[in-house]
Amino acid sequence: MFVRSALSLTRQSRFTLTHQRCVSSEVFQKISAAEVRARERILAVANVPAPTTAQIEAHERLLEAMKVAADRPAKTRMVGVMDAAIAADNLDYAFLAIQEINKRGFQQDPVTLKRLISACVASGEVDRAYQLVDSFVNFGCLADSECLEYLVNGYLSIGEPLKAYKVFSAWDNVDDAQTPKEPMVKSLVEALKAAGFNEQAKKAAAKL
């Protein structure tokens, strides 16, 4: 939230810069300096580093994608919003884009949804990724073994081997299941053993 506030302030500053001819240069410099100090105070209190140029640009690309989608709604433009939101590290807007695609009756596709699953896992929001996979049937899609692989590896990365095992247990139930990758299974077995879940570790090892 604080990062978004900082990005918003930065955008306001850029807006002010485009209108600097409306005031004298001396007054403008004082206003600009005051805005910079205000931003620095907010960021210091929040203990959040100032947004990088890349973050600001990603945020602006997201806003532009949202404007384009709002003016001319289409699935490809809404997918563009989702991708821009992911790049801007804004999963909330990415999910809103997916919901909008569904609400307008456009067909969801697993490839697009997998990009959001991957983004959730990369952000450590594995439960959110799990909920998305669980909602595939509502979107008219079928989850596959690649979706489960994202979840298993995600749960292992955040120290939740039992949740990873529960996902892994459903492996044979997904559409067109592929053989689970050996490194993933070994990591799961080791994590389960380390956490004291020896029975589950033994069942997972049977897949090797």
Side-chain angles (χ1 to χ4, degrees), residues 35-78:
E35 287 180 344
V36 170
R37 287 195 298 272
R39 280 202 307 278
E40 288 174 345
R41 282 196 298 272
I42 290 172
L43 294 172
V45 170
N47 196 28
V48 173
T52 64
T53 301
Q55 288 175 319
I56 294 169
E57 290 175 350
H59 179 73
E60 291 179 342
R61 283 194 293 271
L62 170 58
L63 293 178
E64 184 60 31
M66 290 170 66
K67 281 165 54 181
V68 170
D71 292 340
R72 301 184 296 278
K75 180 185 174 181
T76 53
R77 295 189 179 100
M78 292 171 194

Side-chain angles (χ1 to χ4, degrees), residues 33-203:
E35 287 180 344
V36 170
R37 287 195 298 272
R39 280 202 307 278
E40 288 174 345
R41 282 196 298 272
I42 290 172
L43 294 172
V45 170
N47 196 28
V48 173
T52 64
T53 301
Q55 288 175 319
I56 294 169
E57 290 175 350
H59 179 73
E60 291 179 342
R61 283 194 293 271
L62 170 58
L63 293 178
E64 184 60 31
M66 290 170 66
K67 281 165 54 181
V68 170
D71 292 340
R72 301 184 296 278
K75 180 185 174 181
T76 53
R77 295 189 179 100
M78 292 171 194
V79 171
V81 171
M82 185 202 77
D83 288 329
I86 289 172
D89 196 24
N90 193 325
L91 292 178
D92 289 340
Y93 277 100
F95 273 90
L96 284 174
I98 291 298
Q99 290 170 12
E100 190 67 19
I101 289 171
N102 218 39
K103 187 168 71 175
R104 289 180 178 273
F106 297 123
Q107 179 62 45
Q108 299 279 8
D109 66 274
V111 175
T112 297
L113 295 174
K114 284 178 192 177
R115 290 205 297 276
L116 185 50
I117 293 167
S118 177
C120 289
V121 169
S123 298
E125 297 192 35
V126 190
D127 283 339
R128 200 171 190 180
Y130 178 92
Q131 291 167 2
L132 179 57
V133 174
D134 199 42
S135 300
F136 265 38
V137 65
N138 299 329
F139 295 143
C141 299
L142 293 175
D144 59 15
S145 51
E146 187 180 6
C147 295
L148 300 193
E149 184 179 344
Y150 279 129
L151 296 178
V152 171
N153 287 328
Y155 278 127
L156 290 177
S157 71
I158 62 172
E160 294 279 6
L162 196 55
K163 285 185 177 182
Y165 174 75
K166 288 179 179 177
V167 172
F168 184 71
S169 298
W171 196 275
D172 292 331
N173 299 332
V174 299
D175 182 55
D176 197 22
Q178 304 294 314
T179 303
K181 293 178 181 176
E182 187 175 323
M184 181 194 71
V185 180
K186 284 184 175 179
S187 296
L188 175 59
V189 171
E190 290 170 5
L192 287 167
K193 285 181 179 177
F197 300 114
N198 295 317
E199 183 181 342
Q200 290 87 344
K202 195 175 296 184
K203 290 179 180 178

